[in-house]
Amino acid sequence: MDSPSDRFHQQLSQMCPFELYRSLPDSNPSSHRFSPGSLSSHPLFSPLMHPNSASQRWGSFRQRQGLFPGLLVDDDVSEEDVFGKREFAVGAMGSSQRCPGERGQGSCPDPGDWGQDFARVKRLRMDSAARSEEETRREGKRGRKSTASVRMDERKAAEQANRRESREGRKRQRQELKLQLEETRGKLLELQHKVWKVYGGQADDEKGGEDGPINLDEVAEMFSDSDDPLIGSGFSPPRCSSKKPNETNGNAGMFPETSVDLDLELNGDQVWLGCSLVRGEWESAEGGQKFAQALKQELANVVAQVIDRVVRHYAESDPSAVTSTAVPQETSMTLDLNPDRRPRIYVAEQVEALPLITKSPQDKRAPIAQSVHKDLLLPQANPSLAPLPQPPLPALLPPRSKEHFLPSYPPDNPVPLPLLHYTMQNLFTRSLSSLPLHKNCLSESFMDFRSHNSAFPPLPLLGQLDPSPSDRAREGGMRGGGAGVVDGGDAALYLAAGSSQEGLSPCHLKKAKLMFFHTRYPSSSTLKTYFPDVKFNRCVTSQLIKWFSNFREFFYIQMERFARQAAREGLASARESALHLGRDTELYRILNMHYNKSNDYQVSACMCTCVKARVVRVTSQLCV
DNA sequence: CACCCGCCTG
DNA sequence: CAGGCGGGTG
């Protein structure tokens, strides 16, 4: 989905939060190809489909082939339209440098709002806690008072009145607390909604209008592959609000744990908010206290969980935001006590990705202070590598100004804080590190994507990771490439952190294929950024470029093939809604086979939508 | 001249 | 996927 995953260029984005959505106006492919600055401007979405400089080349490609003569400009414009405006409701046409941030007006909560929301919720939490404490103290006083009243008959009447009063007071307080809880719940839902809106909403909205042939079932199927919508497509709306209480015991949804609580209703004799009190029981004075306690606890828990989750999700999109705060780590340690709640994807990632980062299991929950030691394990601390720019110490929840991207991590496997420095590229790395072959192929230097400029594929586009055991087994047999290609499996063994390998491994080929879904025409600097573990020379660069040339060729050929077929079938004039591009289609199969052979990624719906949009256009052009 | 591209071929 | 080729560009 559209996630903020493409916000990588800090400075640009600080000036204009959605700068990254700006399409490249560059009309000079070669000038841009080697311009590092251009990397930051790549649109977030659909690397595969998006007309970064590729459009022109695609046009030239077609022109040379004589496939679609005279359609170059048109293609670019329309593609811009499709992927710039339709997909993101933005799109800088031509050289207009309009700040795409405009798009965020109204639909995208301002970072400031976020801070305010968090502050409000935090305040509510503190208020409720303080209130409950106060109430507890009062209750205690009352208790003492009532025992005294037993001894003093003359004060009985007054005491009874007092008790009535206090009962009413308790009632009032209960009401207040209830109201507060309701308010908080509303706030939480609002927060959830905002989270969803920010990280999944826009594309989802557009998807609704765009989907057409990618019917709901299909989309649902695609989504269903993801346990965590943020990890996966990111499109899924928060499910907790629509789930029934008895369905919320799983870990699905954006706020799995939260949803459990939030969906429990205040009705009937149901256990209320898990405090083991049923209605009526807490009507008594003792129950009231119990209720107040439970309410306090529950309220605090719910709020804490939601806040933590929001923070975590926030952190996932903005690692620098929490680099100096203990929030994610702390919450991970305090809240995620049940490992079973971890989504499946986390399990896969934990065994695959984390060992590369944290070598000792007990370190996973190490206090912050210990994270210093982990620096040694991080590329950042590698003396042979350029130091990672340290972001300024942010406030607890700074405005969404930093454009790094944090690899999401298992909730109960907090990453060491230095890892939070990882940028967007780390997301990609994380994805790759979950590939079956990463264990052998990803050195630490390999994971060191620290360039803040380069545009890495948005994870959501790549879709849901779902490496299967069979894939891993299969991966072992990946054949080696040409002359400069060394065996990927062994290569990493000789790759000390910070060292570069001379040749390109099958891992690099695979990575390049995935990379192709983001950049069809990578510049040499991009390549260097993407392959930090490769010692670049003329030969290696040429080979990589050749790879991409081959990728393009194959991709365009398939595109054209599919488009021609569709045209033959009379779909040319038909609206795009008539064009079906699901997982069962040939194009999908072929492309997936070629670029995602081991199904390292579940192709997200947006990918299909993007491909479809392009095919539709090509098809219609074919039939003109 | 170096570099990259698309295209063709194997 | 690589090699070779011709072409374009700076």
Side-chain angles (χ1 to χ4, degrees), chain A residues 2-78:
Chain A
D2 158 19
S3 67
S5 37
D6 245 10
R7 290 175 276 127
F8 18 73
H9 200 288
Q10 186 168 337
Q11 284 175 339
L12 264 183
S13 310
Q14 272 171 344
M15 290 187 296
C16 176
F18 293 91
E19 186 69 12
L20 59 116
Y21 292 109
R22 178 170 57 81
S23 301
L24 275 179
D26 94 29
S27 55
N28 186 347
S30 55
S31 75
H32 122 268
R33 274 209 308 274
F34 286 88
S35 158
S38 68
L39 300 174
S40 64
S41 313
H42 283 294
L44 159 77
F45 212 91
S46 166
L48 185 58
M49 298 299 105
H50 196 282
N52 49 19
S53 60
S55 298
Q56 290 93 345
R57 299 187 177 279
W58 170 222
S60 114
F61 181 91
R62 287 171 307 172
Q63 200 175 44
R64 287 197 200 192
Q65 284 194 320
L67 299 179
F68 315 110
L71 287 173
L72 283 75
V73 178
D74 219 82
D75 176 63
D76 284 347
V77 171
S78 55

Side-chain angles (χ1 to χ4, degrees), chain A residues 470-490:
Chain A
S470 61
D471 289 334
R472 280 171 211 164
R474 221 183 315 157
E475 206 54 43
M478 191 168 182
R479 67 180 180 85
V485 178
V486 300
D487 177 64
D490 296 333

Side-chain angles (χ1 to χ4, degrees), chain A residues 6-198:
Chain A
D6 245 10
R7 290 175 276 127
F8 18 73
H9 200 288
Q10 186 168 337
Q11 284 175 339
L12 264 183
S13 310
Q14 272 171 344
M15 290 187 296
C16 176
F18 293 91
E19 186 69 12
L20 59 116
Y21 292 109
R22 178 170 57 81
S23 301
L24 275 179
D26 94 29
S27 55
N28 186 347
S30 55
S31 75
H32 122 268
R33 274 209 308 274
F34 286 88
S35 158
S38 68
L39 300 174
S40 64
S41 313
H42 283 294
L44 159 77
F45 212 91
S46 166
L48 185 58
M49 298 299 105
H50 196 282
N52 49 19
S53 60
S55 298
Q56 290 93 345
R57 299 187 177 279
W58 170 222
S60 114
F61 181 91
R62 287 171 307 172
Q63 200 175 44
R64 287 197 200 192
Q65 284 194 320
L67 299 179
F68 315 110
L71 287 173
L72 283 75
V73 178
D74 219 82
D75 176 63
D76 284 347
V77 171
S78 55
E79 210 167 345
E80 197 75 53
D81 183 57
V82 168
F83 302 106
K85 272 207 291 207
R86 278 204 320 213
E87 293 291 338
F88 299 114
V90 294
M93 307 301 279
S95 59
S96 107
Q97 301 280 322
R98 179 172 71 91
C99 170
E102 291 166 16
R103 130 197 188 277
Q105 305 285 346
S107 68
C108 189
D110 187 79
D113 290 347
W114 278 80
Q116 287 175 14
D117 286 336
F118 285 126
R120 276 201 292 268
V121 177
K122 281 271 186 196
R123 205 164 47 235
L124 272 177
R125 178 164 65 160
M126 307 253 306
D127 282 354
S128 83
R131 213 178 279 238
S132 299
E133 279 178 25
E134 193 183 348
E135 188 191 34
T136 308
R137 276 201 305 275
R138 255 184 289 171
E139 296 277 355
K141 273 185 198 163
R142 280 187 216 111
R144 283 195 296 277
K145 236 189 246 173
S146 57
T147 52
S149 71
V150 173
R151 295 188 202 126
M152 302 186 177
D153 287 350
E154 67 269 20
R155 292 173 60 180
K156 242 183 189 172
E159 194 55 45
Q160 277 175 352
N162 198 6
R163 235 182 268 164
R164 264 199 307 277
E165 216 172 275
S166 64
R167 212 174 292 147
E168 283 175 11
R170 281 200 300 271
K171 226 173 193 171
R172 265 203 314 275
Q173 282 170 359
R174 277 200 297 271
Q175 288 289 357
E176 269 179 41
L177 285 169
K178 236 171 166 179
L179 279 174
Q180 220 172 9
L181 175 67
E182 287 300 321
E183 189 187 344
T184 310
R185 287 180 52 180
K187 206 75 213 167
L188 300 183
L189 288 174
E190 197 182 318
L191 273 174
Q192 288 180 348
H193 189 65
K194 280 183 179 175
V195 168
W196 169 68
K197 233 155 117 187
V198 169

Side-chain angles (χ1 to χ4, degrees), chain A residues 360-371:
Chain A
S360 89
Q362 61 263 35
D363 278 350
K364 283 177 188 171
R365 291 171 188 271
I368 303 159
Q370 290 183 22
S371 67

Side-chain angles (χ1 to χ4, degrees), chain A residues 308-326:
Chain A
D308 295 331
R309 287 193 167 268
V310 169
V311 167
R312 193 180 304 142
H313 284 300
Y314 188 88
E316 283 174 7
S317 65
D318 189 354
S320 66
V322 290
T323 47
S324 66
T325 73

